[in-house]
Amino acid sequence: MTKQHRLVLASLLVSLLIFIGYDTLTASSRINASPPNVTVFVHGYKGTAVSFRSMLERFEKDHRWGKTTIICRVKSNGQVVFNEIGKVPSSGRLFVQLIFEDNRASFQDTAYWLSKALHALHETYKFENVNIVGHSMGGIVSVKFLEEYTKKPGYPFIHKLVVIGSPFSGLKDKDYLKRNWGPAAADLMPNSAALQTLLKQKDSFPSDVNVLAIAGTGDQLVSVDSVLTLEKIVPRSRFQKAVIADRRIDHSGLHESEKVDRLIGRFLWSEQ
């Protein structure tokens, strides 16, 4: 073998070793990469894009707990539309804001739309694990989703659930319901058939989902006892509760409160 042939062979061997090393490194990086920590925010009765906007801005800018990455809108026919805010990263804490086109629909319909959104997030972005934060009726339909859909294939595993001011025994202000309309208004009545169904299906609630229920003494629509009725559905070992003893914080103010922020941060991400 000539000197020139030996040089060519040596060059090829070096190139091969570099390629193998690079491929091994990238494969190792893929294996060791942490999947994204995803939290989905679900608004309540008559909720809009504004409902969680301030809280998400505080989580992102003030607390630096993560980034709002996807706005997910669900139409009345179940169609799911994603609006990505920049590139969706493959790791880190991501927030998804969920918005229902029909924000006065029944528990049954809204839980179905939530299932469509979570299925689409799983299929489109390959999210395997998700937390949910639901305000008011958003917490109720999240529980209904957990009772009726999570044993079916095609959904991410729900790791933790936070409900804020969710009336599991109905709203205490019946005049409020008389002033409003839609199937959800009937479902939110004390001891409604929809609420009774949630209790009857409690054995279907997953035993591996950790739950935090947040209530407020200043909530003019939902009593503390109504929120804590969730304790009858969730296994005791998985249930935590917190009561905000501040008369200045009303129903809508619960998702505008720094006190609530801190409770959610500690529960979801062990933040102090």
Side-chain angles (χ1 to χ4, degrees), residues 48-251:
T48 67
V50 176
S51 298
F52 271 115
R53 183 177 293 167
S54 296
M55 176 178 276
L56 289 169
E57 288 177 353
R58 292 193 304 275
F59 282 12
E60 182 173 344
K61 297 176 182 178
D62 297 345
H63 303 302
R64 302 186 185 279
W65 285 338
K67 181 176 176 57
T68 303
T69 306
I70 301 169
I71 306 295
C72 175
R73 298 180 183 274
V74 187
K75 298 184 178 182
S76 298
N77 63 2
Q79 181 184 0
V80 179
V81 180
F82 293 125
N83 177 26
E84 297 178 4
I85 304 174
K87 183 180 179 181
V88 178
S90 58
S91 62
R93 291 180 187 149
L94 314 182
F95 304 145
V96 178
Q97 186 178 11
L98 182 57
I99 303 167
F100 300 113
E101 181 181 64
D102 183 351
N103 57 10
R104 298 172 185 256
S106 67
F107 294 171
Q108 187 71 49
D109 287 343
T110 312
Y112 169 70
W113 295 330
L114 174 58
S115 78
K116 296 289 286 186
L118 291 170
H119 176 77
L121 287 168
H122 181 264
E123 294 299 306
T124 304
Y125 299 102
K126 309 305 177 186
F127 294 157
E128 297 293 338
N129 296 280
V130 167
N131 301 317
I132 299 177
V133 176
H135 176 255
S136 195
M137 182 175 148
I140 293 176
V141 298
S142 297
V143 169
K144 190 169 183 65
F145 162 80
L146 285 163
E147 287 183 345
E148 297 184 358
Y149 291 94
T150 51
K151 292 181 181 179
K152 300 176 182 179
Y155 298 103
F157 169 70
I158 308 303
H159 183 47
K160 294 180 179 181
L161 168 67
V162 179
V163 302
I164 309 169
S166 297
F168 290 93
S169 291
L171 297 182
K172 65 181 179 182
D173 186 348
K174 294 183 180 180
D175 289 336
Y176 173 84
L177 293 172
K178 291 177 183 178
R179 295 192 302 269
N180 289 281
W181 52 270
D187 286 353
L188 290 166
M189 288 290 290
N191 299 313
S192 69
L195 287 170
Q196 290 301 312
T197 296
L198 280 181
L199 291 171
K200 291 175 182 177
Q201 296 179 164
K202 66 179 182 179
D203 290 340
S204 296
F205 189 90
S207 61
D208 50 2
V209 178
N210 294 304
V211 178
L212 171 64
I214 301 174
T217 58
D219 191 330
Q220 79 282 17
L221 295 179
V222 183
S223 69
V224 171
D225 287 343
S226 187
V227 177
L228 300 186
T229 295
L230 180 58
E231 200 166 7
K232 297 178 181 179
I233 296 174
V234 179
R236 182 176 298 179
S237 63
R238 297 290 181 176
F239 185 77
Q240 297 181 40
K241 59 187 176 183
V243 178
I244 304 296
D246 189 336
R247 294 287 180 181
R248 298 168 298 176
I249 302 175
D250 63 10
H251 186 66

Side-chain angles (χ1 to χ4, degrees), residues 20-31:
I20 292 173
Y22 174 76
D23 188 61
T24 302
L25 177 63
T26 53
S28 176
S29 298
R30 288 194 296 269
I31 293 171

